[in-house]
Amino acid sequence: MQKPSVPKGTRDFSPEAMVRRKFIFETIEDVFQLFGYLPLETPAMENLSSLLGKYGEEGDKLLFKVLNSGNYLSDIPVRQINPENAGKLALRICEKGLRYDLTVPFARYVVQHRNDLTFPFKRYQIQPVWRADKPQKGRYREFYQCDVDIIGSNSLLNEAELIQVIDDVFTRLGMNVLIKINNRKVLSGIAEIMGLSGMFNTLTVILDKLDRIGIEGVMSELLSTGIKADAVEKLKPILKLKGSNSQKIDKLEKILYGSGTGQQGLKEVDTLFRILGNISCRSEILWDIPLARGLDYYTGTIIEVIALDDRIGSVCGGGRYDDLAGIFGMPDISGVGVSFGAERIFDVMSKLNLFPEGAVTGTKVLFVNLGAKEQNHILPLLSKIRGAGIRAEIYPDHAKLKKQMAFAHAKKIPFVALVGEDEISAGLITLRNMQTGEQKKVNLDELIGQFM
Amino acid sequence: MQKPSVPKGTRDFSPEAMVRRKFIFETIEDVFQLFGYLPLETPAMENLSSLLGKYGEEGDKLLFKVLNSGNYLSDIPVRQINPENAGKLALRICEKGLRYDLTVPFARYVVQHRNDLTFPFKRYQIQPVWRADKPQKGRYREFYQCDVDIIGSNSLLNEAELIQVIDDVFTRLGMNVLIKINNRKVLSGIAEIMGLSGMFNTLTVILDKLDRIGIEGVMSELLSTGIKADAVEKLKPILKLKGSNSQKIDKLEKILYGSGTGQQGLKEVDTLFRILGNISCRSEILWDIPLARGLDYYTGTIIEVIALDDRIGSVCGGGRYDDLAGIFGMPDISGVGVSFGAERIFDVMSKLNLFPEGAVTGTKVLFVNLGAKEQNHILPLLSKIRGAGIRAEIYPDHAKLKKQMAFAHAKKIPFVALVGEDEISAGLITLRNMQTGEQKKVNLDELIGQFM
């Protein structure tokens, strides 16, 4: 028989991995709830019509499609059923697809339930998504996203709140991060004064490489795309801007004088930093003018979070969108949200050994099973220990002591309790610290006290 | 534009529903962990080869199949691509399927990772499953299962532990239940002495109707399948058995004298009740001799839990299986597990109004937003309130007071905090109880104290 396996790009999460993953998810969730966000879940399958066209042509190809039940071919003209027509045929034989992200299902949810929701609507969503990407190191076909959004409010207070959420999450996780922010309207203004409004994407993709290729690199790449030298020259003073945020804003206000959008962007950056001035954040917050983020739907503030102690790149990101629900026919509703990269956070925390001890072990004490008589004596004790909220178990079989100790060792259970005839008659429990080997006799209350 | 929707048989879970669902899942999870079970997650998609043939012919039809990426038709001979061949073709164009339950993926996991696991292996798994069933009231195409299993131990202590888990879960949820147990070996013994070993399934399906159709109904249905009258007569005294469990065992021991399997089953029932005698359970535990449960793979103890205050039927069930991992080539490893029906539990608890208040509300206090100055004063206060672990938020926009109060009301936020010029200069906060309308002025410490 073939050794069983999982589909490529997917993973089992062992108890050891799960306990750590849950630590991350629960930390994030606790913070979300502290700020008034509530959970939402949407189905794994969406109608393909809800998904197609939302992620670009490349994204459409990466959607997992679910075959219709029953005879999926019966209503389809025979001439359409051939390999040359495979692409179009797929959309006839599959009505459903697996969700590709949490953003589009959220937009679909908001539009579908618009009359039942209280706006501003604050929700978080922690669920897996699926992409038929080529699997490689750190890239999976099934992975979790943790999204938090507020929709139906234009206030920049929301951006400030999300930055607080980010700061709080990474503080609790023990990760040092840099929070970079920018505003798409500032970038639009820059494109405008360069005369490149029609080439916004080309400009931002190249700008995004500034860290790696430097100012001169950016300039020459822009020139190589056919952009005129005098346009490119206008970018130089912007990239060389120095000083405090308010100094940068003063200078940019002059540079972007001719662009209403650019001025609006600067005003938003200014307001956001003023609000943030009233909040104490542990993480550094940087206005990063070349920061663009890839997604088309961002229209205002954009946010990206970088892990400082690992070169893994972005661990969280997001921004404001003014028309996301418009894709489902409900235009002009503004929202802002960020998404935490749980898989990358897991990798960083594993590498830096940031998981607390409690997130690694399960059971606190294992009772050795010496026989039926001892077992019957132990069972009511166990109920009391569990009643006090202490994770405890008894080895189920009357196996050799050595085997039971090996079990406790393999499961990293910190304490083993032994109850033999002597202990039964004395009303005591021998408690062994598996780390130090130290043993002592205690009564039930003392044992419970040990773990409280 | 068409109103967006979800695929039939699937559901969005609104924040209101999610908060309640999480209460159920977290309660169940807490109990699992208290007994030493640790979480496991497997991928949503499994190789179809792992799923096919595991759920019977009907089950195979209910598997959601995922279309292969790229040109799924390119390697397939043209003559095979036609509607008459749709069934076989589906298995060529789809290599993956969505998981149908958590049991088969668990067996696959155990066999695949057998060398890394410590046995007995205790795990729980709470994940959605998908079935292409005809949707109807209470039956969905996507729903959650909550499974808990221990594999690699024959001890009946495991069965007793799972019964404790069940009792503990339903006690915490506030649901009154009856825990019915039986043993497949006892049923096999009954079939054997009736001369019906080859008709085990027919017998158990009819036995299962005893509650509804009574002893005479069972007898006549058995006769109608062609079973001889003298065989059917042998069943009568068994169904009429009365008395305590030990009295029933004494009588059945004589009736099943000729069946080794039957005797073994009785011994197991006896041992299990002896162990349970050492444990105090809140729920009634009943030995229900006609209880069979449908699934083929159970070989020993079977367990079914009935909600007493609602006629919804079984809310939890399971049993011992001696060869589940055998389907993946690892025979003779015994396990036992139960599955909690989260969807039904949700329905019962909603109907009986069993959710505690805390499981319904999110934010504890909303700060009204009267303007930029007040907002700046409030933000540091908010940080301190959240720092104390209290869920709090500020309305993001400077909207009319009426609108902000309506927001608090719609979101069932119990307290609203008002900070205007007077409060700022006095260093106080006006706190309004939304239920009673009562207002009082408090300082920050008093406000925090209110929620601790």
Side-chain angles (χ1 to χ4, degrees):
Chain A
M1 191 179 279
Q2 209 189 331
K3 201 189 169 196
S5 63
V6 294
K8 68 176 175 182
T10 71
R11 296 161 291 171
D12 287 320
F13 294 113
S14 69
E16 293 72 29
M18 274 303 293
V19 169
R20 289 176 167 88
R21 288 173 71 84
K22 283 172 81 72
F23 173 74
I24 294 173
F25 291 132
E26 284 165 10
T27 301
I28 292 175
E29 237 183 313
D30 281 350
V31 175
F32 289 169
Q33 292 181 354
L34 207 50
F35 283 79
Y37 295 84
L38 287 176
L40 173 74
E41 280 191 12
T42 61
M45 292 186 279
E46 291 276 348
N47 293 318
L48 266 181
S49 58
S50 297
L51 302 176
L52 285 166
K54 308 300 191 298
Y55 308 104
E57 212 173 306
E58 202 47 43
D60 281 355
K61 284 187 197 148
L62 301 184
L63 293 172
F64 279 112
K65 300 172 188 73
V66 177
L67 195 67
N68 295 341
S69 308
N71 194 333
Y72 53 94
L73 285 177
S74 61
D75 288 339
I76 298 175
V78 176
R79 64 187 158 74
Q80 294 185 9
I81 307 175
N82 65 67
E84 286 74 41
N85 193 42
K88 280 184 186 162
L89 183 61
L91 307 184
R92 297 285 309 265
I93 63 178
C94 300
E95 278 167 9
K96 297 177 287 292
L98 297 182
R99 68 173 163 255
Y100 179 91
D101 70 2
L102 303 178
T103 307
V104 167
F106 174 55
R108 194 262 312 143
Y109 176 85
V110 168
V111 176
Q112 188 178 334
H113 300 272
R114 59 207 288 178
N115 296 325
D116 309 321
L117 300 180
T118 304
F119 291 98
F121 179 60
K122 299 171 87 167
R123 83 87 175 81
Y124 71 84
Q125 194 168 350
I126 302 181
Q127 288 192 282
V129 301
W130 296 271
R131 296 181 185 180
D133 241 324
K134 205 180 160 71
Q136 57 185 59
K137 189 174 177 305
R139 190 201 282 165
Y140 305 102
R141 292 185 148 191
E142 174 181 66
F143 58 96
Y144 271 76
Q145 289 194 332
C146 309
D147 281 22
V148 58
D149 290 82
I150 177 164
I151 193 161
S153 163
N154 294 302
S155 169
L156 284 154
L157 191 52
N158 300 305
E159 274 91 334
E161 182 173 280
L162 289 174
I163 289 168
Q164 275 184 284
V165 165
I166 292 168
D167 183 59
D168 206 352
V169 163
F170 287 108
T171 299
R172 288 179 188 219
L173 293 177
M175 273 175 66
N176 296 310
V177 296
L178 169 67
I179 303 172
K180 301 204 285 190
I181 65 170
N182 195 21
N183 193 299
R184 278 280 187 124
K185 295 191 183 85
V186 173
L187 290 172
S188 293
I190 293 172
E192 208 177 319
I193 61 111
M194 290 172 74
L196 298 176
S197 288
M199 294 183 72
F200 185 72
N201 281 337
T202 312
L203 175 66
T204 55
V205 166
I206 296 173
L207 267 182
D208 198 48
K209 301 183 186 170
L210 182 66
D211 276 354
R212 275 164 290 149
I213 62 176
I215 293 182
E216 293 310 317
V218 166
M219 311 294 270
S220 66
E221 246 193 74
L222 286 172
L223 288 170
S224 75
T225 64
I227 296 173
K228 297 244 161 61
D230 59 339
V232 174
E233 274 307 311
K234 287 189 180 153
L235 189 61
K236 215 167 186 171
I238 297 172
L239 297 183
K240 289 192 164 165
L241 274 181
K242 289 217 156 41
S244 68
N245 287 331
S246 57
Q247 286 169 330
K248 282 186 193 168
I249 287 172
D250 286 347
K251 288 177 196 159
L252 262 181
E253 262 178 353
K254 291 183 190 100
I255 297 173
L256 300 184
Y257 183 75
S259 163
T261 307
Q263 297 290 333
Q264 174 63 23
L266 290 175
K267 206 176 134 196
E268 290 180 13
V269 172
D270 189 42
T271 304
L272 179 53
F273 273 106
R274 275 174 206 276
I275 298 172
L276 289 171
N278 288 290
I279 301 164
S280 65
C281 277
R282 182 181 147 280
S283 314
E284 190 193 342
I285 302 165
L286 177 78
W287 180 21
D288 185 35
I289 297 171
L291 177 68
R293 290 193 65 77
L295 292 167
D296 280 351
Y297 52 73
Y298 292 127
T299 49
T301 306
I302 42 183
I303 302 170
E304 189 164 272
V305 184
I306 307 293
L308 289 176
D309 302 323
D310 196 87
R311 303 190 54 170
I312 204 164
S314 161
V315 289
C316 176
R320 177 169 291 276
Y321 41 86
D322 279 332
D323 200 23
L324 190 62
I327 55 179
F328 292 106
M330 184 183 172
D332 300 326
I333 175 164
S334 185
V336 56
V338 296
S339 182
F340 287 82
E343 312 287 345
R344 282 192 177 177
I345 292 172
F346 182 87
D347 290 345
V348 173
M349 291 187 63
S350 299
K351 204 165 148 190
L352 301 179
N353 211 3
L354 297 178
F355 290 101
E357 190 62 27
V360 187
T361 51
T363 296
K364 298 284 177 238
V365 56
L366 172 81
F367 278 79
V368 162
N369 193 335
L370 298 173
K373 190 187 161 199
E374 291 83 355
Q375 175 184 302
N376 289 343
H377 178 82
I378 290 167
L379 288 176
L381 303 182
L382 257 184
S383 291
K384 286 187 183 130
I385 293 166
R386 290 179 183 137
I390 298 158
R391 297 178 185 183
E393 54 185 310
I394 178 169
Y395 194 85
D397 300 282
H398 311 154
K400 282 189 179 146
L401 184 60
K402 199 177 158 189
K403 190 176 176 188
Q404 300 189 44
M405 297 303 274
F407 174 85
H409 184 74
K411 287 188 72 180
K412 297 197 179 72
I413 298 173
F415 287 89
V416 163
L418 290 123
V419 178
E421 283 197 24
D422 290 356
E423 282 85 355
I424 293 178
S425 51
L428 293 173
I429 299 154
T430 296
L431 191 65
R432 182 186 172 90
N433 181 323
M434 290 294 283
Q435 188 118 42
T436 63
E438 195 190 340
Q439 289 196 173
K440 59 180 174 185
K441 283 203 162 70
V442 294
N443 64 29
L444 182 63
D445 287 342
E446 289 164 343
L447 183 142
I448 289 173
Q450 171 96 24
F451 297 102
M452 296 305 274
Chain B
M1 190 179 281
Q2 210 190 330
K3 201 189 168 195
S5 63
V6 295
K8 67 176 176 182
T10 70
R11 296 162 290 171
D12 287 320
F13 295 112
S14 69
E16 294 71 30
M18 275 303 293
V19 169
R20 290 174 167 89
R21 289 174 70 84
K22 284 172 80 73
F23 174 75
I24 294 173
F25 291 132
E26 284 166 11
T27 301
I28 292 175
E29 238 184 311
D30 280 350
V31 175
F32 289 169
Q33 291 181 355
L34 207 49
F35 284 79
Y37 296 84
L38 287 176
L40 172 74
E41 281 192 10
T42 62
M45 291 186 278
E46 291 275 347
N47 293 319
L48 265 182
S49 58
S50 297
L51 302 176
L52 285 166
K54 307 301 192 297
Y55 308 105
E57 213 174 303
E58 202 47 42
D60 282 354
K61 284 187 197 150
L62 301 184
L63 293 172
F64 278 112
K65 298 173 189 74
V66 178
L67 194 67
N68 295 341
S69 309
N71 193 333
Y72 53 95
L73 286 176
S74 62
D75 288 340
I76 299 177
V78 177
R79 65 188 156 74
Q80 295 185 9
I81 308 176
N82 65 69
E84 286 73 42
N85 192 42
K88 281 185 185 162
L89 182 62
L91 308 184
R92 297 284 311 265
I93 64 177
C94 301
E95 279 167 8
K96 297 176 287 291
L98 298 182
R99 68 174 164 255
Y100 179 91
D101 71 1
L102 303 178
T103 307
V104 166
F106 174 54
R108 194 264 309 143
Y109 176 85
V110 168
V111 175
Q112 188 178 333
H113 300 273
R114 58 206 288 177
N115 297 326
D116 309 320
L117 299 181
T118 304
F119 291 99
F121 178 60
K122 298 171 88 167
R123 84 86 175 82
Y124 70 85
Q125 196 168 350
I126 302 180
Q127 288 191 281
V129 301
W130 296 271
R131 296 181 185 180
D133 241 325
K134 204 177 160 73
Q136 56 184 58
K137 190 178 178 303
R139 191 200 281 164
Y140 304 102
R141 291 185 148 192
E142 174 180 67
F143 58 95
Y144 272 77
Q145 291 195 331
C146 309
D147 281 22
V148 57
D149 290 82
I150 177 163
I151 193 162
S153 163
N154 293 303
S155 168
L156 285 153
L157 191 52
N158 299 305
E159 273 90 334
E161 183 173 280
L162 288 174
I163 288 167
Q164 276 183 284
V165 165
I166 291 168
D167 182 59
D168 207 352
V169 163
F170 288 107
T171 300
R172 288 178 187 220
L173 293 178
M175 273 175 67
N176 295 311
V177 296
L178 169 67
I179 303 172
K180 301 204 285 188
I181 65 169
N182 195 22
N183 193 300
R184 279 282 187 122
K185 295 191 183 85
V186 172
L187 289 173
S188 293
I190 294 172
E192 207 177 320
I193 61 112
M194 291 171 73
L196 297 176
S197 290
M199 293 182 71
F200 185 73
N201 282 336
T202 312
L203 176 65
T204 54
V205 166
I206 297 172
L207 267 182
D208 199 47
K209 301 183 187 170
L210 182 65
D211 275 353
R212 276 165 288 150
I213 62 176
I215 292 183
E216 293 311 316
V218 166
M219 311 297 269
S220 65
E221 248 194 70
L222 286 171
L223 289 169
S224 75
T225 64
I227 296 172
K228 296 244 164 60
D230 58 339
V232 173
E233 274 307 310
K234 285 188 181 157
L235 189 60
K236 214 167 186 171
I238 297 171
L239 297 184
K240 289 191 165 169
L241 273 181
K242 289 218 155 40
S244 68
N245 286 332
S246 57
Q247 286 169 329
K248 283 187 194 166
I249 286 173
D250 286 347
K251 289 176 197 161
L252 261 182
E253 262 177 353
K254 290 181 192 104
I255 297 173
L256 301 183
Y257 182 75
S259 163
T261 306
Q263 297 290 331
Q264 173 64 23
L266 289 175
K267 206 176 134 194
E268 290 180 12
V269 172
D270 188 42
T271 305
L272 178 53
F273 273 105
R274 276 175 204 277
I275 298 172
L276 290 171
N278 287 290
I279 301 163
S280 65
C281 276
R282 181 182 148 281
S283 314
E284 188 193 344
I285 302 164
L286 176 79
W287 181 21
D288 185 35
I289 296 170
L291 177 69
R293 289 191 67 76
L295 291 167
D296 280 350
Y297 51 73
Y298 292 126
T299 50
T301 306
I302 41 185
I303 302 170
E304 191 164 272
V305 184
I306 308 293
L308 289 176
D309 302 324
D310 195 88
R311 303 189 55 169
I312 203 164
S314 160
V315 288
C316 176
R320 178 169 289 276
Y321 41 85
D322 278 333
D323 199 24
L324 189 62
I327 56 179
F328 292 106
M330 185 183 173
D332 300 327
I333 175 165
S334 185
V336 56
V338 295
S339 183
F340 287 81
E343 312 288 344
R344 283 193 176 176
I345 292 171
F346 182 87
D347 289 345
V348 174
M349 292 186 64
S350 299
K351 204 165 148 189
L352 301 179
N353 211 1
L354 297 178
F355 291 101
E357 191 61 26
V360 187
T361 52
T363 296
K364 298 284 176 240
V365 56
L366 172 81
F367 278 79
V368 162
N369 194 335
L370 298 173
K373 190 187 159 199
E374 291 83 356
Q375 173 183 306
N376 290 343
H377 179 80
I378 289 166
L379 287 175
L381 303 180
L382 257 185
S383 290
K384 283 185 184 131
I385 293 165
R386 289 178 183 137
I390 299 158
R391 297 177 186 183
E393 53 185 310
I394 178 170
Y395 194 85
D397 300 281
H398 311 155
K400 283 190 179 143
L401 185 60
K402 201 179 158 189
K403 190 176 176 189
Q404 299 190 44
M405 296 304 273
F407 174 85
H409 184 74
K411 288 188 72 177
K412 297 195 179 73
I413 298 174
F415 287 89
V416 163
L418 290 122
V419 179
E421 283 197 24
D422 288 356
E423 282 86 356
I424 293 179
S425 51
L428 294 173
I429 299 154
T430 297
L431 192 64
R432 182 187 173 88
N433 181 323
M434 290 293 283
Q435 188 116 44
T436 64
E438 196 190 340
Q439 289 196 175
K440 58 181 175 183
K441 284 203 163 70
V442 295
N443 64 29
L444 182 63
D445 288 342
E446 288 164 345
L447 184 143
I448 289 173
Q450 170 96 25
F451 297 103
M452 297 303 275

